[in-house]
Amino acid sequence: MTDEESAGSSDTSWFSWTRYSFNMLRSIEKSILSHLRRPYRGMFVDIGPCVGDQDKVWTITMNNEESKRVPILMLHGLGAGVALWVLNLDELAQHRTVYAIDILGFGRSSRPRFSDDAMVAEKQLVKSIDEWRKEMGLKEMILLGHSMGGFLAASYALSYPDRVKHLILADPWGFPEKPKDVERPKKIPMWARAIVTASKPLNPLWILRFFGPLGSWLVGKTRPDILRKFSGVVTNPDDIPNYIHQCNAQSPTGESAFHTMMQDFGWAKNPMINRVQDMKSTVPITFLYGARSWVDNSPGETIKQLRHQSFVKVHSIPGAGHHVYADDAATFNRLINEACATCDAENQAVAEIKPESPEASAA
């Protein structure tokens, strides 16, 4: 692993119209993370030829030297990156080491080409997370994923259950099956329907790249709610839209993998609700939903019933939408810390019942 070196992107890498700049992305990320109270370290973790020829995963870590408790790994959602955890990192790092990564194909991480097969692409992303874990020397971890990151976190726990001490799913995407009778919004103009139909083969965030250098302006105009979520901490109002634009102005290989895995935007081709019952019963699961989110929260309760002999908790945060980690960061952080504390209590109980060593018995 190496600190602050290029992951293979360059200022003129693929399409100058997008106005992507690796240095600008780095600078904006630093500006956002400068609002953290605790020090953090950023590094590229070399996971070798995992999907591409030489893949690197951008990683930030906090409280890496002080805590011996189970560490937590944070996986962001579609189109996001490590800096959008700025409202959460300080609180979560109070008691344990925190890692946040730009998932392979996103943010500052490498941009390899993923498979066009949904399950293969999913397994490639999961493999990249485990290769990262091996490089970091982690035996086990608490795994927190938001939206798409929640889908990947659940898939990881299916494949590597003994590595996951607690699975925390924040408004996870891709859990329910697509209903056969999905209601279509009424009174949609014909031209709008034509655009939606024509856009289906395209990646979800294609419009940001289509607008090129105006991409950050588009984010600010179409999603002012996202800007407001961070306004109390991030002082420069341009940082969040510029960061989102720069994260998504590059070659969209991770986004293409998401497009491959999805069945329309709201559903996965391989929904997790049909697979989670195969997860090892020893994996505890905590769901955190935004009460006002567009994500269907019924799978959380269904999984709680299916895994009645396992630890499953479902929380709904009043007033929060899909970006539950930012809509009510204080409640989100508290609930995450409470879920993590169950691992600490379990480890303490195991330590207390361990048999004495021969030397201690002889004494």
Side-chain angles (χ1 to χ4, degrees):
M1 63 192 74
T2 53
D3 291 3
E4 293 287 351
E5 64 179 33
S6 172
S9 301
S10 64
D11 291 357
T12 58
S13 57
W14 74 288
F15 194 33
S16 60
W17 167 247
T18 64
R19 290 287 177 88
Y20 165 66
S21 164
F22 183 84
N23 289 331
M24 185 179 293
L25 175 56
R26 175 179 179 271
S27 176
I28 297 168
E29 179 191 281
K30 281 195 166 187
S31 177
I32 295 172
L33 295 180
S34 70
H35 298 286
L36 292 171
R37 301 186 304 274
R38 294 173 177 269
Y40 74 93
R41 179 188 175 198
M43 56 191 168
F44 287 104
V45 178
D46 190 339
I47 61 173
C50 181
V51 179
D53 294 332
Q54 189 177 13
D55 295 325
K56 295 180 181 180
V57 175
W58 177 244
T59 304
I60 64 170
T61 179
M62 298 176 70
N63 194 5
N64 199 38
E65 305 296 334
E66 301 173 13
S67 178
K68 294 183 180 179
R69 296 181 180 180
V70 181
I72 184 170
L73 170 62
M74 306 170 74
L75 304 178
H76 60 76
L78 176 69
V82 296
L84 294 189
W85 296 113
V86 66
L87 303 179
N88 319 108
L89 290 165
D90 278 319
E91 296 302 317
L92 301 188
Q94 284 187 80
H95 308 294
R96 70 195 68 252
T97 300
V98 171
Y99 298 99
I101 64 172
D102 283 345
I103 295 169
L104 196 66
F106 293 90
R108 295 175 64 185
S109 291
S110 299
R111 303 276 175 141
R113 180 174 180 178
F114 294 87
S115 172
D116 293 329
D117 179 272
M119 186 56 74
V120 175
E122 178 185 326
K123 294 300 182 184
Q124 287 176 322
L125 286 162
V126 167
K127 180 185 176 184
S128 72
I129 296 169
D130 198 56
E131 291 300 318
W132 174 90
R133 177 196 63 79
K134 291 176 184 177
E135 288 296 321
M136 299 302 294
L138 302 181
K139 182 180 179 182
E140 56 190 12
M141 56 194 176
I142 298 164
L143 194 55
L144 163 62
H146 170 253
S147 194
M148 177 199 72
F151 181 81
L152 295 177
S155 182
Y156 182 93
L158 278 166
S159 297
Y160 305 98
D162 294 333
R163 302 301 181 191
V164 181
K165 287 291 291 183
H166 202 120
L167 178 62
I168 306 176
L169 305 172
D171 228 52
W173 171 85
F175 272 65
E177 289 187 305
K178 182 180 179 180
K180 294 180 180 179
D181 55 345
V182 179
E183 292 186 7
R184 297 184 180 276
K186 299 177 181 179
K187 298 181 180 179
I188 297 180
M190 187 63 69
W191 63 267
R193 293 185 184 185
I195 291 176
V196 170
T197 301
S199 299
K200 280 189 175 182
L202 303 176
N203 286 323
L205 302 176
W206 67 272
I207 192 70
L208 281 180
R209 290 177 291 278
F210 178 81
F211 269 75
L214 297 178
S216 60
W217 171 86
L218 182 68
V219 173
K221 288 297 181 182
T222 59
R223 294 304 306 271
D225 58 308
I226 293 181
L227 278 61
R228 288 195 297 269
K229 299 176 198 301
F230 296 90
S231 60
V233 173
V234 179
T235 56
N236 185 342
D238 295 328
D239 275 354
I240 297 299
N242 283 339
Y243 179 72
I244 293 173
H245 173 234
Q246 287 296 318
C247 278
N248 295 289
Q250 307 176 58
S251 179
T253 64
E255 188 183 328
S256 294
F258 175 84
H259 187 266
T260 296
M261 294 187 295
M262 77 181 199
Q263 181 185 10
D264 289 343
F265 184 79
W267 297 274
K269 289 179 181 174
N270 298 296
M272 199 57 65
I273 191 68
N274 297 331
R275 303 153 59 191
V276 74
Q277 58 264 37
D278 297 327
M279 188 181 297
K280 198 170 180 179
S281 62
T282 54
V283 178
I285 306 176
T286 294
F287 288 91
L288 279 77
Y289 289 103
R292 299 177 59 189
S293 174
W294 57 266
V295 169
D296 182 2
N297 62 10
S298 63
E301 293 295 340
T302 301
I303 291 168
K304 186 175 182 178
Q305 295 173 10
L306 290 173
R307 292 170 59 86
H308 60 276
Q309 294 182 332
S310 302
F311 179 103
V312 180
K313 277 196 173 183
V314 182
H315 300 279
S316 179
I317 300 181
H322 180 53
H323 295 274
V324 60
Y325 60 94
D327 286 327
D328 186 349
T331 301
F332 179 86
N333 296 338
R334 175 177 59 79
L335 292 173
I336 296 297
N337 278 329
E338 288 177 3
C340 292
T342 63
C343 297
D344 303 331
E346 179 185 338
N347 284 356
Q348 181 63 31
V350 170
E352 289 176 355
I353 64 174
K354 278 185 177 179
E356 291 183 318
S357 65
E359 292 81 358
S361 299

